[in-house]
Amino acid sequence: MTATPTPIPTAGQTVGPFFHFALTYDGDSELVPRGAPGSVRLHGTVTDGAGEPVPDALLELWQADESGAVVQRAGSLGRDGWTFTGFGRSATDAEGRYSFTTLVPGEAAPFFAIAVFARGLTHRLFTRAYLPGASDALLERLDPARRATLLAAADADGLVFDVRLQGDGETVFLDFGDE
Amino acid sequence: MADGMTTERDPATGLERQPVIDEEIRETSHKYDVAGFEELQPRRDYPPYRSSLLRHPTKDLQQVDPEGIELWAPVFGRRDVGELESDLTIQRGGEPIGARIVVTGRVVDGEGRPVRHQLVEVWQANAGGRYIHQRDQHPSPLDPHFTGMGRCLTDAEGRYRFTTIKPGPYPWRNHHNAWRPAHIHFSVFGTDFTQRLVTQMYFPGDPLFALDPIYQSIVDPRARERLVATYDHDLTQHQWATGYRWDIVLTGTHRTPLESDFEEDQS
């Protein structure tokens, strides 16, 4: 038997400034329609190392449903208004703000998985937006200031989760052992 | 002209000149060669790409095992992607200007298994190096018959295939007279969210490779070269289009795959 050599992963590259016409689409950030029962707004601002908003970032949201179950259903690009797929995208606006309309994932899964892309960011970053009050092994391992960067905060609209790419309050970004 | 006339910045644009960037690229490359530690991904902190300066994390990434949702990827299907979306030359009711090409390859995971029925998205400049994006101010014409975006789902062997126009190089303002090598942006999903990848495919022999800080942000020369497609005459179609092949390898899966994920391997 011949051993097959392990293939070497393809390198990432920046998403660049001109992704909007390709990666964003109608309804991309609305995992459920606005105002749907149980819907919540997950939103925040992406800032750089100078504290300036990043107006050309893209956040991807991937999450469990209200029961905490992983959804494996098509329809994230062609939303039908009824099927919860668990996936969405939100490009930041001129003030660095993103916003999703979604459901709160069930207790078994206390976080939203988030991938961050931006012009100037050579390779995507992963993070987690935990529900307020959540606790798990990762959070417990972090010192309080770092931990706070992974916790969404409740506000009048729903949940706020800011992403700071660099500097004071820099968001904890994750390496799943693949970096 | 005396050497003393050489300045680091172009007097008209106020932007740094190419040799300044070249020197930084060379220095980083030399340090990498000497260090002898293989880096397969781009550096997020890569000063020659000026926009990375304030947009890279300064703290080490937090090591963690993926959990729950992270072990799965979103599912896409026919309701998401139409059959015709993989042909970028038929979207606007007329033939776009430029050299028609076919770009195809396979998406495989870190174990070499095909990523089946999964979403691949592409976007690119037109033949003149102009994006349809409203923020692209490059004074090169838009092509009324070309948007430059496409999508497809991989087949049961993990293959994708696009018909498009060869993009042109385009100028940007990283430094004075900065030009990006021609490229197609690719966005790919695996079977785990941890495999999510956005990257760029390049064309063989591009003279701009050595000058481009985005391409060079991958400091390992072999890792860079893996982003360059191969011209494949067997893909080239008589009187129609030239062909390029480019395979994409994602990182390994963390979830034990289901039998059904790979059942077609047995055939």
Side-chain angles (χ1 to χ4, degrees):
Chain A
M1 285 225 301
T2 330
T4 316
T6 307
I8 300 167
T10 304
Q13 289 268 267
T14 182
V15 75
F18 301 137
F19 57 82
H20 300 81
F21 76 97
L23 296 185
T24 67
Y25 51 91
D26 288 345
D28 57 1
S29 65
E30 296 186 6
L31 286 76
V32 295
R34 288 183 197 198
S39 66
V40 67
R41 184 180 186 216
L42 173 68
H43 66 119
T45 304
V46 181
T47 48
D48 69 12
E52 295 296 320
V54 176
D56 38 21
L58 178 75
L59 263 65
E60 283 187 349
L61 175 64
W62 174 228
Q63 65 164 98
D65 69 12
E66 282 179 302
S67 74
V70 173
V71 179
Q72 293 284 276
R73 279 197 291 266
S76 294
L77 297 181
R79 299 211 191 273
D80 62 10
W82 297 98
T83 307
F84 183 76
T85 65
F87 178 79
R89 283 180 178 151
S90 178
T92 54
D93 66 14
E95 295 175 318
R97 298 177 307 173
Y98 75 89
S99 177
F100 292 99
T101 309
T102 189
L103 301 173
V104 174
E107 274 178 34
F111 64 81
F112 301 92
I114 288 173
V116 182
F117 307 87
R119 178 179 70 83
L121 179 61
T122 61
H123 192 33
R124 88 280 171 274
L125 287 165
F126 292 114
T127 189
R128 292 175 179 173
Y130 281 87
L131 298 174
S135 181
D136 72 357
L138 171 64
L139 292 176
E140 283 165 24
R141 201 153 78 229
L142 297 168
D143 72 59
R146 297 282 284 153
R147 183 189 306 144
T149 72
L150 295 185
L151 288 165
D155 78 348
D157 294 331
L159 297 167
V160 189
F161 181 76
D162 293 328
V163 176
R164 297 183 181 89
L165 293 175
Q166 187 186 92
D168 286 344
E170 183 177 301
T171 299
V172 171
F173 296 105
L174 306 176
D175 174 6
F176 299 113
D178 306 314
E179 292 274 332
Chain B
M1 203 188 333
D3 285 344
M5 295 293 285
T6 308
T7 57
E8 292 204 339
R9 288 181 185 274
D10 180 83
T13 62
L15 296 171
E16 292 161 295
R17 292 176 187 272
Q18 183 74 47
V20 177
I21 302 298
D22 290 347
E23 180 55 29
E24 291 181 19
I25 290 174
R26 206 163 28 238
E27 202 174 308
T28 307
S29 174
H30 176 69
K31 282 183 186 157
Y32 173 71
D33 291 343
V34 171
F37 179 78
E38 192 178 39
E39 294 177 35
L40 297 176
Q41 294 295 341
R43 289 200 181 165
R44 293 191 178 91
D45 178 9
Y46 191 71
Y49 178 25
R50 296 294 190 240
S51 304
S52 79
L53 287 170
L54 290 170
R55 293 184 172 194
H56 70 271
T58 52
K59 296 189 163 53
D60 289 342
L61 301 188
Q62 180 67 42
Q63 299 281 330
V64 67
D65 290 331
E67 289 173 50
I69 193 75
E70 291 159 342
L71 296 168
W72 299 81
V75 169
F76 300 92
R78 281 287 156 227
R79 79 164 70 157
D80 296 302
V81 184
E83 293 278 1
L84 300 180
E85 289 188 68
S86 64
D87 189 342
L88 286 75
T89 67
I90 58 170
Q91 293 171 348
R92 286 280 187 102
E95 288 280 340
I97 290 170
R100 190 183 297 109
I101 59 172
V102 168
V103 179
T104 186
R106 293 176 80 220
V107 182
V108 298
D109 71 11
E111 287 76 40
R113 297 175 295 214
V115 175
R116 307 181 191 286
H117 314 303
Q118 187 52 294
L119 179 66
V120 179
E121 295 160 286
V122 295
W123 69 103
Q124 63 169 89
N126 69 21
R130 176 82 186 262
Y131 283 88
I132 202 165
H133 199 288
Q134 59 180 6
R135 284 185 214 165
D136 186 358
Q137 299 299 311
H138 175 31
S140 175
L142 285 170
D143 184 337
H145 297 139
F146 192 69
T147 52
M149 70 86 75
R151 296 175 181 140
C152 75
L153 296 174
T154 57
D155 70 10
E157 277 79 48
R159 283 186 302 243
Y160 71 86
R161 182 185 179 94
F162 293 99
T163 301
T164 185
I165 293 295
K166 196 171 182 184
Y170 72 85
W172 58 314
R173 294 179 59 83
N174 187 69
H175 53 280
H176 182 72
N177 208 15
W179 289 79
R180 297 285 341 272
H183 61 275
I184 300 178
H185 295 266
F186 271 72
S187 163
V188 187
F189 291 79
T191 52
D192 293 15
F193 196 56
T194 62
Q195 295 168 303
R196 185 79 180 90
L197 182 71
V198 167
T199 186
Q200 302 178 23
M201 185 208 90
Y202 298 89
F203 293 87
D206 198 310
L208 295 166
F209 285 152
L211 309 176
D212 177 39
I214 290 182
Y215 181 68
Q216 297 288 334
S217 69
I218 304 162
V219 294
D220 186 276
R222 284 168 302 178
R224 281 198 297 273
E225 285 156 17
R226 283 191 285 270
L227 298 191
V228 182
T230 306
Y231 172 73
D232 186 339
H233 201 63
D234 291 335
L235 287 173
T236 293
Q237 294 169 305
H238 179 66
Q239 299 277 308
W240 185 247
T242 54
Y244 290 87
R245 186 175 297 282
W246 186 56
D247 294 330
I248 300 167
V249 181
L250 302 179
T251 52
T253 51
H254 294 268
R255 171 171 54 93
T256 308
L258 304 174
E259 279 293 301
S260 59
D261 287 347
F262 302 108
E263 62 193 4
E264 283 155 286
D265 279 341
Q266 313 304 321
S267 60

